[in-house]
Amino acid sequence: MHHYQGRTRTRVRIPLVVALLILTLSSAACHKNVIVPIPGQINTFDGTSYRYLMDAQAALNSVRDDAANDKIKLDDTSKSLLNNAIASYNVAQDAWHAYHSGATIDTAGLQSAISAMVRDVNNLITRIASSKVTGGGN
Amino acid sequence: MNLALLLASLASAIIQDLPGISSTIKQIIADIAGSLRAVVGSGIVHQVTPLNVYMALDGVLSQLIQDPNLPQAKLEVVASLLDAVQAAIAADKQAQEGMDPDKIKPIEPLP
């Protein structure tokens, strides 16, 4: 009886997780036009670029630390992809600092640098999720 | 670049390369990826924000890491990905509170 109830709860819980995620995404869709400015931004593009850089920096540092501490084992290709992503991030953060400080108004250059960074982070994450990367204990 | 592709490519990679995971988890990942594609393709939105994608990834990886069929080697990789996604979520929330240019720093390459 209890075993059956436990299985029932499990069957209910998993679709519930999916439903909540769909609701989260749908909710985000409804509020798409509401862009909350970040205090200190010079314009929306500046603020969006700052968020991308903060996110990428945190994710890259996390992966880099895990690799440096042997929590995950990167093969040569994966390590190269990590360093490519780091290099792209470094270019983008230089471009953002120049833009944010007013040293340049080159939005196209910053946009291009951010796009390259996102592409390289995407390539890295896809590689890590593949079978080419294993845990450090293996 | 549409960030929804990040989720789609990651979900595809996980499904393709982890044949040992349960059909339930595979279905969850497929449902979430499909839902995201539907939201993006509905015309309601032009762009899904990075935070929404990270939150969806967090949900996928949090479910995946609980799968008892996940090999230990992959468990550590998924845990590392989950750490990275959660770090990005925390950073994104912090970024929205206010700009601090000093927080945007260069990263040393892995030797």
Side-chain angles (χ1 to χ4, degrees):
Chain A
M1 183 67 174
H2 291 285
H3 178 64
Y4 173 78
Q5 286 174 335
R7 287 179 61 185
T8 303
R9 276 197 298 271
T10 301
R11 286 175 183 164
V12 170
R13 186 175 61 84
I14 292 174
L16 193 61
V17 170
V18 177
L20 285 172
L21 283 166
I22 293 169
L23 188 64
T24 301
L25 292 170
S26 302
S27 174
C30 294
H31 297 292
K32 164 256 173 187
N33 289 322
V34 181
I35 300 173
V36 179
I38 299 174
Q41 72 180 30
I42 56 176
N43 54 41
T44 303
F45 176 62
D46 182 49
T48 303
S49 300
Y50 177 74
R51 282 180 64 182
Y52 272 77
L53 287 166
M54 284 284 284
D55 302 354
Q57 178 181 239
L60 288 171
N61 275 328
S62 178
V63 172
R64 187 190 184 285
D65 289 349
D66 282 352
N69 296 326
D70 290 330
K71 186 174 175 183
I72 54 172
K73 286 185 178 176
L74 300 182
D75 62 357
D76 288 343
T77 302
S78 302
K79 184 178 168 184
S80 174
L81 288 173
L82 172 60
N83 282 335
N84 281 348
I86 289 173
S88 295
Y89 163 83
N90 285 338
V91 169
Q93 68 94 26
D94 272 343
W96 178 78
H97 277 295
Y99 182 83
H100 181 73
S101 68
T104 176
I105 54 169
D106 183 10
T107 53
L110 177 55
Q111 178 67 65
S112 174
I114 295 281
S115 295
M117 178 191 74
V118 171
R119 179 200 64 214
D120 288 345
V121 170
N122 185 9
N123 289 340
L124 171 67
I125 291 176
T126 303
R127 176 74 181 188
I128 290 175
S130 79
S131 58
K132 305 298 186 293
V133 176
T134 60
N138 295 273
Chain B
M1 175 187 172
N2 190 332
L3 279 170
L5 295 176
L6 180 65
L7 175 62
S9 62
L10 177 57
S12 298
I14 290 173
I15 291 171
Q16 182 179 348
D17 293 317
L18 296 177
I21 64 174
S22 71
S23 58
T24 304
I25 298 293
K26 285 182 181 176
Q27 189 58 50
I28 288 173
I29 293 169
D31 285 349
I32 293 171
S35 299
L36 185 59
R37 285 192 205 99
V39 169
V40 173
S42 67
I44 299 171
V45 293
H46 298 122
Q47 183 182 13
V48 174
T49 69
L51 184 58
N52 294 331
V53 177
Y54 300 146
M55 296 292 275
L57 276 175
D58 188 32
V60 170
L61 295 173
S62 295
Q63 284 297 313
L64 187 60
I65 208 167
Q66 294 176 31
D67 192 317
N69 296 322
L70 194 65
Q72 181 62 27
K74 287 300 164 190
L75 183 66
E76 291 168 347
V77 173
V78 173
S80 181
L81 279 173
L82 187 57
D83 286 347
V85 169
Q86 289 178 342
I89 289 172
D92 200 67
K93 288 178 178 174
Q94 190 180 43
Q96 291 179 74
E97 291 171 0
M99 274 196 175
D100 181 356
D102 290 341
K103 288 182 177 169
I104 302 293
K105 301 172 184 172
I107 301 174
E108 285 292 317
L110 196 64

